[in-house]
Amino acid sequence: DQQVKQNSPSLSVQEGRISILNCDYTNSMFDYFLWYKKYPAEGPTFLISISSIKDKNEDGRFTVFLNKSAKHLSLHIVPSQPGDSAVYFCAANNAGNMLTFGGGTRLMVKP
Amino acid sequence: KAGVTQTPRYLIKTRGQQVTLSCSPISGHRSVSWYQQTPGQGLQFLFEYFSETQRNKGNFPGRFSGRQFSNSRSEMNVSTLELGDSALYLCASSLVGTGTNTEAFFGQGTRLTVV
């Protein structure tokens, strides 16, 4: 039972363009969502989060959008840079510290 | 400010042995969670400790256990190791506890290989 899904295993974009990573969830009890970036053999690095009472949160080049009715969130990276190439995980939380992760999307930003 | 520190970084063990992994959270953080990452199952929650008490537990067998000390440092133990326990074990620390949502910050992980 995958409660958090990232349906695109990989995404390739050109440097300078927008990267859009998507995530869907099924558990309506989730009320906090996070995005992490991960390199091989390292721990995930926190990028940005959003509470379920908001529909948008922005931090520099990163913006997360939340559509509660569709149970969908997305991460926008503008402009994309080669250093952004990594695996991105979305994660969901429900009033605790037990994160449920999606399967990840590998982003490749081409120079 | 120091980040989350996990030791050791790499470990090779034989089937049937037991192993203990250590995690030192960010100073001031009282919640420590453990996750297992494998190619087939992705990132899965093991358990969470807050103020020396296990608060949440994932769907893992009893061979996986943990504890937290008064200084918030945590250890995770796996007994009777199986080949399928080979994974990257990640520790995450958070500032606060139940009822609030805060970001979890991860350590670099311990790569366990069972042979």
Side-chain angles (χ1 to χ4, degrees):
Chain A
D1 175 26
Q2 268 190 295
Q3 297 187 63
V4 179
K5 282 187 183 180
Q6 293 176 255
N7 290 316
S8 298
S10 65
L11 174 68
S12 180
V13 300
Q14 207 66 37
E15 181 179 5
R17 298 288 189 100
I18 183 172
S19 295
I20 300 176
L21 297 99
N22 295 303
C23 181
D24 297 297
Y25 62 96
T26 56
N27 189 342
S28 57
M29 297 300 292
F30 288 141
D31 61 1
Y32 199 68
F33 303 89
L34 309 91
W35 283 95
Y36 287 87
K37 173 181 177 181
K38 189 179 184 302
Y39 296 112
E42 292 187 8
T45 301
F46 170 74
L47 282 174
I48 192 168
S49 61
I50 187 167
S51 165
S52 59
I53 63 174
K54 296 186 175 181
D55 54 19
K56 177 183 175 181
N57 189 25
E58 197 170 351
D59 184 1
R61 296 187 299 115
F62 302 93
T63 303
V64 56
F65 295 92
L66 175 63
N67 182 333
K68 280 181 63 179
S69 60
K71 294 191 176 68
H72 177 83
L73 66 154
S74 61
L75 175 67
H76 292 209
I77 306 173
V78 183
S80 300
Q81 299 172 354
D84 295 330
S85 297
V87 178
Y88 288 77
F89 289 93
C90 69
N93 200 357
N94 58 338
N97 283 319
M98 187 178 91
L99 295 175
T100 302
F101 283 88
T105 296
R106 181 177 302 279
L107 173 65
M108 293 164 283
V109 181
K110 298 179 180 179
Chain B
K1 190 170 174 179
V4 179
T5 304
Q6 290 188 246
T7 56
R9 288 292 311 276
Y10 302 94
L11 207 49
I12 299 175
K13 288 286 188 178
T14 305
R15 261 187 310 175
Q17 286 186 313
Q18 74 162 12
V19 66
T20 299
L21 312 181
S22 180
C23 172
S24 293
I26 293 170
S27 178
H29 285 196
R30 294 168 62 192
S31 170
V32 175
S33 302
W34 288 88
Y35 293 81
Q36 181 197 63
Q37 185 184 26
T38 58
Q41 299 297 320
L43 273 156
Q44 290 189 292
F45 172 79
L46 279 156
F47 31 66
E48 184 228 357
Y49 286 86
F50 180 79
S51 292
E52 303 178 63
T53 301
Q54 187 183 89
R55 239 186 357 187
N56 292 297
K57 190 175 190 306
N59 190 24
F60 278 82
R63 299 185 298 107
F64 291 82
S65 63
R67 60 178 175 167
Q68 187 180 33
F69 302 94
S70 58
N71 61 358
S72 293
R73 190 178 71 86
S74 177
E75 287 182 348
M76 180 191 130
N77 184 277
V78 188
S79 62
T80 320
L81 283 166
E82 300 177 359
L83 294 178
D85 296 334
S86 296
L88 180 67
Y89 289 88
L90 293 158
C91 166
S93 79
S94 302
L95 184 60
V96 294
T98 307
T100 55
N101 286 303
T102 60
E103 295 75 23
F105 296 91
F106 285 82
Q108 290 194 293
T110 295
R111 169 69 64 185
L112 171 64
T113 302
V114 182
V115 297

